[in-house]
Every structure is written in structure tokens, then in C-alpha cells.
Amino acid sequence: MTSFLDLDPADGFGLDNLPYGVFSTGGEPRRVGVRLGDHVVDLAELERAGLIAAAGAGRHPVFAADALNGFMALGADAWDAVRGRLQDLLSADGPADLRDHESLRARAIVPLADVTMHLPARIGDYTDFYSSRQHATNVGTMFRDPDNALLPNWLHLPVGYHGRASSVVVSGTDVVRPSGQQKLDDGPPVFGPSKLLDIELEMGFFVGPGNELGAPIPIADAGRHIFGFVLVNDWSARDLQKWEYVPLGPFLGKSFATSVSPWVVPYAALAPFRIDGEAQDASAGNPEPLPYLRQREPRALDVDLEVALQTPAMRDAGEDAQTIARSNARYLYWSPEQQLTHHTVNGCNARPGDLMASGTISGEEKGSYGSMLELSWRGTDPVAVGAETRTFLRDGDRVVLSGRAERDGTVVGFGTVEGTIRPPLT
Ligand code: CA
């Protein structure tokens, strides 16, 4: 598929991708667009011009909207139809309705450099899983027992917790260093700014159609409830977390900010990157999941992920962020479908626009770990960046996570999610 726009096929934003986002220009209201190369195609304009219509939307505009929730709620048939229509309209040899309509093209195709991106959805609930085996093993090794790093439940269910939706922010939003209680090893708890501020490299998905309260989503249907994927940085204050988490789990050490990338890569766009992933049966020495979690199709996603860091000194010297870790979404043991099915198996209702994140994605080697906690091995082995080293984040540090999938000539980009640490407000 070739577009009538001049695109660089290597950049991952061609007709194979077409990620959705919410954008604005100047003082104009927010609306839905898809990214195509260095352009944003304004779907509200195409909807008004009668060139696209989302089946099931009735008279409600789903693209002249400040969030994707309405479109997410319509389901996979509506998404597939719009995606197919857009691939047609934007291709070099498709219908002329947009390609040869000069004034419409001028209105509907906006330079990426001219837009401001916003959160893609109104996020009612945010859930964070813990699905990377190496990450769970590293954390278990550091804080508990190297010989029994995985807790007994881990290979039987996707462990997760309910996060905080109100503090999910779009890429580019600064993150204020949180303050809270910290317990020193040999003293009473103290209050102050976190000294162990960290990142977590994750992928997240947005829920499409939800489920009725009491009616679980079966594993065979789960894929049709997943709208698409974003990159997630689940910022974490390790010192706050360590003191507060017993016995109910993460709280203020996590809830101060979670950043997401602005472009939601459609579920369908990742079909070429499905791979088997780690066996969930005795062939690999793992227990077979209970029947409700058994997934027949390939579960894993082959998406390359990177963590880059730019210190204030690097920024002053005009140096780019430097890559400090390379990972891949294939390292997730539990799939998005298994996560969603498990989440609803007790009858809990998921809703359109809910965000579910994977948990930190760490590979098998040190350079593929998805947090500073692991990269610096609890602060004992500082990471080189520019002319400096880091164990945890300092004020002014800018972190950039990026993602990209490439296979048999098809390239799908996720873009980036980034954020800069600001000192605590006084
Ligand atoms: Ca996390």
C-alpha cells in the first residue's frame, strides 16, 4: 500500500499503521486524527465531508470529539471498516474523493509540527499488571529470595493492581518529583522528596467495548475488546513504595504520574507481529494456565522498545537523549488478552477507554531491563549516561521511551512517550 502523500516507509507511520490520536491546532477544539508520516489526517473533517462514517455511531460524530471513547465503544467491526476506508482514501490508487480534492486536502491534512497532542481517551480506570517474568524475577531476587524469586501465584495468573486514572498524562507533560514517607534502614520514617525516582518501561492497551457487570470476557473474545496499544511510563518512587506497600500493594509511590504516548496503534496493525512467546505448559517447565486463561493463537507481540535518557548537562550541550536500555514486548509472559480476561473473570466490568498496562518489560540481560532499579541493580551499579552516571532520576532528567515493530518489510511505529522531572513544589 502506497499513499499519495510522500512518506518515508522506514518511519513506521505508513498505511500499515494509521494510529489514532486526539489533537488540536491553534485555538480549535480537540478532535480525532490518524498519523500518516509527518502529517495528521483530521477525521472530523472527513466525517463532516461524508467521506467516512463509523457504523453504529448513528448521528453522533465520533471523530469531532475530544476523546476516542465513542469510537472505542463501537467495536472491532466498526474499527476494521474505518481502517479499511482510510487505507483506501489515503492510498495513491484509491478513490479520488480526498486525493484530488484540493480544498479538502488542505483542511484535512495537517502538518504534525502544527498540532498539539492530548490524552487519547477519558480514562475511567487504569490497571497495571506485572507480566514480565524477568522483571518479576529481578525484583524478587533483589528484595526477597534469589532461589524463589517468583511468588507462587505468578505463573498461574497475571498479577496486577488497580492504579490511578486521574494522574495519567500525555507524553511531554512534566513530572513533579513526589514527596512522601520513607523509612531509613536504621531510623524512624521521615518525610521528604523521593530520592529513588524511577521509570517503568511498559506497553498499555485501551479497552474497546466493555462487558456487563457480572459477565466475564472469554479468552476467545478478548481480542475484539482491545482497541489498540500505547507506550506507558509508569513512574515509580521506590523509597515511598518500599515503606508503604505492605500489605495492600502500590499506592502513593505510583499514583503521582503515569505517562502515555499520544498515538494509539490499532490492534489490527500489530497482527503481523504476533509470535508464539514463552510456552505456557510442561514443555518449558511451566504450569499450564487454568482453562479460562488458555489462549490458542500466538500470544506475544514482537515490538522493539527503548529507554533513552537526557541529563540537563546533555541538554545544555545540545546532545540528544542516549539509549540506556533495549527491550521487547515479546518478553511478556502474559498476553493482553489473558490480562483482560483475567481482569473480568470475577465479573468486574471493563469500560471503553480503560487503560491496562503490561508491567515493566525486562529482557534477559542487563541492557534490556526496563527500570533504573534493575539497570543500576538497586543503586549498586550506576548506569553511564553522557559524561555522568545515574542510579535513579535527578531533577531535569528527561526520559524518552520509544517503540517500533518491523517484520518482512512492514514497519509500525509507536513514536515516543517522554517526560522531564521537575523539582518538588515548595
Ligand atoms: Ca508498573
Side-chain angles (χ1 to χ4, degrees):
M1 287 183 289
T2 310
S3 172
F4 59 76
L5 291 178
D6 191 21
L7 303 177
D8 174 3
D11 82 350
F13 293 99
L15 294 174
D16 294 318
N17 189 353
L18 296 180
Y20 295 96
V22 171
F23 75 101
S24 62
T25 46
E28 298 291 315
R30 298 179 186 193
R31 63 256 195 214
V32 172
V34 293
R35 179 167 170 186
L36 185 62
D38 293 330
H39 312 271
V40 177
V41 181
D42 184 338
L43 301 193
E45 280 289 352
L46 299 189
E47 191 175 46
R48 257 194 300 277
L51 291 190
I52 54 168
R59 298 171 60 84
H60 297 287
V62 290
F63 300 120
D66 63 2
L68 276 157
N69 297 58
F71 185 48
M72 288 169 166
L74 294 178
D77 288 341
W79 310 332
D80 289 347
V82 167
R83 181 172 164 77
R85 174 68 173 154
L86 286 172
Q87 285 171 333
D88 238 21
L89 277 174
L90 295 166
S91 74
D93 48 9
D97 309 60
L98 177 61
R99 188 186 59 224
D100 296 342
H101 193 317
E102 234 169 88
S103 64
L104 181 60
R105 267 182 71 159
R107 288 198 307 279
I109 300 179
V110 185
L112 186 64
D114 292 352
V115 311
T116 301
M117 298 305 298
H118 305 279
L119 267 187
R122 283 185 305 279
I123 302 168
D125 278 293
Y126 160 47
T127 302
D128 195 22
F129 287 91
Y130 190 58
S131 290
S132 150
R133 184 177 195 152
Q134 188 65 49
H135 174 67
T137 301
N138 288 344
V139 172
T141 300
M142 273 185 261
F143 293 102
R144 285 187 305 273
D145 174 5
D147 297 325
N148 289 292
L150 285 185
L151 287 167
N153 59 3
W154 200 92
L155 289 167
H156 295 276
L157 56 83
V159 170
Y161 72 98
H162 292 291
R164 182 77 195 169
S166 66
S167 52
V168 178
V169 295
V170 74
S171 176
T173 308
D174 288 347
V175 173
V176 175
R177 180 180 297 272
S179 291
Q181 286 198 25
Q182 302 142 43
K183 172 74 168 65
L184 308 178
D185 283 342
D186 49 0
V190 297
F191 179 86
S194 169
K195 296 177 189 68
L196 305 182
L197 185 54
D198 200 354
I199 57 156
E200 290 193 334
L201 168 66
E202 306 194 13
M203 264 178 64
F205 65 85
F206 282 103
V207 175
N211 55 306
E212 292 297 321
L213 187 64
I217 297 175
I219 188 77
D221 295 348
R224 296 180 67 76
H225 289 263
I226 297 175
F227 177 75
F229 294 87
V230 288
L231 302 171
V232 178
N233 187 346
D234 186 36
W235 307 93
S236 300
R238 302 298 179 193
D239 35 10
L240 277 55
Q241 184 182 359
K242 186 184 171 199
W243 172 230
E244 73 177 2
Y245 88 102
V246 184
L248 288 185
F251 189 34
L252 305 183
K254 296 283 190 177
S255 59
F256 56 95
T258 303
S259 301
V260 297
S261 54
W263 294 108
V264 188
V265 173
Y267 187 85
L270 291 183
F273 308 101
R274 287 262 161 194
I275 54 175
D276 286 334
E278 192 175 349
Q280 291 179 331
D281 60 35
S283 70
N286 298 320
E288 188 166 18
L290 289 171
Y292 80 94
L293 282 173
R294 281 180 207 155
Q295 188 176 359
R296 296 299 165 213
E297 70 266 32
R299 297 191 321 278
L301 291 168
D302 183 10
V303 179
D304 288 320
L305 303 168
E306 280 193 25
V307 181
L309 203 157
Q310 184 189 45
T311 66
M314 292 165 74
R315 186 159 49 248
D316 291 346
E319 294 170 30
D320 271 347
Q322 178 190 322
T323 300
I324 57 169
R326 289 189 172 85
S327 186
N328 189 297
R330 72 197 305 162
Y331 297 127
L332 291 168
Y333 186 84
W334 296 104
S335 71
E337 294 83 5
Q338 289 174 316
Q339 291 168 347
L340 180 59
T341 291
H342 182 66
H343 200 311
T344 63
V345 75
N346 66 344
C348 171
N349 51 330
R351 295 179 295 188
D354 284 357
L355 174 66
M356 299 192 182
S358 61
T360 309
I361 307 173
S362 294
E364 285 159 9
E365 283 142 27
K366 180 173 164 142
S368 62
Y369 295 166
S371 67
M372 297 299 291
L373 175 73
E374 295 161 273
L375 289 165
S376 75
W377 205 254
R378 217 178 169 179
T380 60
D381 188 7
V383 177
V385 53
E388 302 170 72
T389 61
R390 284 289 184 276
T391 50
F392 293 90
L393 300 174
R394 296 196 189 158
D395 292 344
D397 283 352
R398 172 173 161 258
V399 178
V400 184
L401 310 184
S402 56
R404 179 185 157 89
E406 183 165 4
R407 182 168 285 242
D408 301 331
T410 301
V411 187
V412 167
F414 281 72
T416 62
V417 55
E418 59 177 85
T420 301
I421 306 302
R422 295 294 169 218
L425 304 171
T426 49

